[in-house]
Amino acid sequence: MKRDLQRLELRLEKAVHTEHPFLTEIASHLIRAGGKRVRPGFVIAAANITQPRMSPVHEKVLTGGVAVELVHLGSLYHDDVMDEAQLRRNVDSVNAKWGNLRAILAGDFLLARASELAASLGTEVASVLAATIGHLCEGQVRELQDTGNPDRTEESYTASIEGKTASLLATSCRIGALVAEVSRPTIEALTEFGRCYGLAFQVVDDILDIVATDEHLGKPSGNDLHEGLYTLPVIRALTTAHGPQLRDLLGRTVSDASVRSAIQLVQASGGVEQALDVARRYAHEASAILQALPPSTATKALGVATEHLIARARIPLGN
């Protein structure tokens, strides 16, 4: 997989190259900043799921990996505009460096390139990716509707992360399996694995926003609270004895000091531990799906990724 991901990096750079040097620079900004490439990694693993050992994948699989990563990057460009973010992956965000208008257009360009690549893989892959872009938008709209709402329900939160995170990870697995032409039951199993993994992934990410340092995240911690986005640790904390005090800090413009106070209350309430239990449940569901698949190097790699996911949340508290 390491060699395939190296091949993919070259394909990513090539995919955003245009005759306009400035657009190329903006579109490649976060590619050059690096990243774990989780989604294309899942495409590659899914394509190898029936092989006893990982082997170099066909160029079509890499095309699918590039497509899903470009969708992910395009969504980050748009998210950073909405959040007025200044940092992403320890570098200036695109909107901070070049302004909101250019960031929006560059994000649109990345989504367009992703759609073009998906179309080259056939109508089913193109349809899956197009639907996923729609799910990303739906999830984000759900989140925006609850911005600043301390009464946000856990059901609304889950529906939002299904769209904005889990859908693309599910699609990554599905595209890899579709391009590799594995059996339909295996395609469906891998899709569900990606969904469960994606739910766990987002819950862990939301936990890290509460417990991690800026350096660990590559962006400011506590940003969700600053933006009025109340995620699972906060939703659970609001149901505890610390809830009334926490609620007094939410639902309005918050200062750095009040964010720090809110983080301390969430941590003291046990909201982080409760959210981690939910993430473990999703991860367990993902692992159970893998156990039903034939043993292979790819299956093992996806299992290790799932175990690592929960381990990510066990870091020293950031305050």
Side-chain angles (χ1 to χ4, degrees):
M1 185 181 287
K2 183 178 179 180
R3 290 193 300 272
D4 283 336
L5 287 174
Q6 289 171 344
R7 293 165 61 200
L8 181 125
E9 288 298 321
L10 298 175
R11 292 284 303 273
L12 275 172
E13 289 273 1
K14 184 178 179 181
V16 301
H17 181 78
T18 76
E19 294 180 359
H20 197 302
F22 183 56
L23 178 56
T24 300
E25 181 183 5
I26 299 175
S28 61
H29 180 65
L30 285 188
I31 293 174
R32 292 171 181 167
K36 298 181 179 67
R37 309 296 188 233
V38 173
R39 292 151 192 85
F42 275 24
V43 174
I44 293 168
N48 267 289
I49 205 72
T50 60
Q51 305 299 319
R53 298 180 62 83
M54 295 283 285
S55 57
V57 295
H58 192 278
E59 286 296 319
K60 288 184 176 180
V61 176
L62 292 183
T63 298
V66 172
V68 297
E69 186 68 4
L70 292 182
V71 169
H72 174 55
L73 292 170
S75 71
L76 295 183
Y77 279 39
H78 291 161
D79 286 352
D80 286 347
V81 169
M82 288 186 285
D83 296 343
E84 299 181 353
Q86 299 299 302
L87 287 175
R88 173 69 70 172
R89 296 178 177 173
N90 286 315
V91 299
D92 289 339
S93 64
V94 173
N95 52 293
K97 192 173 178 68
W98 289 289
N100 287 344
L101 295 179
R102 292 175 180 85
I104 292 169
L105 289 171
D108 290 346
F109 171 74
L110 293 172
L111 295 177
R113 276 294 165 92
S115 300
E116 182 182 356
L117 291 171
S120 73
L121 298 175
T123 56
E124 185 170 6
V125 172
S127 176
V128 166
L129 195 68
T132 302
I133 293 171
H135 295 324
L136 289 171
C137 294
E138 290 172 15
Q140 196 65 52
V141 167
R142 283 181 177 273
E143 185 173 86
L144 288 172
Q145 284 181 311
D146 274 326
T147 299
N149 177 19
D151 295 317
R152 184 186 194 186
T153 65
E154 193 165 327
E155 291 74 19
S156 177
Y157 166 82
T158 302
S160 175
I161 68 173
E162 281 260 15
K164 75 172 199 172
T165 303
S167 64
L168 186 54
L169 284 156
T171 291
S172 299
C173 292
R174 191 173 190 87
I175 287 177
L178 283 169
V179 174
E181 298 181 348
V182 304
S183 70
R184 280 288 158 176
T186 301
I187 290 172
E188 299 304 329
L190 284 167
T191 302
E192 181 61 12
F193 162 79
R195 187 189 75 85
C196 293
Y197 179 95
L199 290 169
F201 184 96
Q202 187 59 58
V203 173
V204 168
D205 202 56
D206 293 337
I207 291 170
L208 290 175
D209 190 66
I210 297 292
V211 305
T213 61
D214 294 0
E215 292 74 21
H216 182 93
L217 291 174
K219 57 184 181 180
S221 61
N223 190 62
D224 288 341
L225 284 167
H226 261 296
E227 297 298 322
L229 301 178
Y230 307 135
T231 57
L232 188 58
V234 177
I235 292 169
R236 289 295 182 96
L238 284 165
T239 67
T240 70
H242 293 81
Q245 189 178 356
L246 177 60
R247 183 178 290 271
D248 286 343
L249 296 171
L250 306 180
R252 54 185 172 81
T253 302
V254 291
S255 64
D256 289 344
S258 60
V259 166
R260 287 193 296 270
S261 297
I263 287 174
Q264 291 170 352
L265 286 170
V266 173
Q267 292 175 355
S269 72
V272 169
E273 288 77 8
Q274 289 187 41
L276 187 55
D277 285 341
V278 173
R280 287 194 187 99
R281 188 183 77 233
Y282 289 135
H284 178 75
E285 291 174 9
S287 296
I289 293 167
L290 292 178
Q291 290 171 9
L293 294 173
S296 67
T297 304
T299 308
K300 183 177 180 180
L302 292 174
V304 170
T306 305
E307 293 170 4
H308 176 69
L309 190 59
I310 301 303
R312 284 179 65 218
R314 299 194 188 102
I315 62 173
L317 297 182
N319 56 330

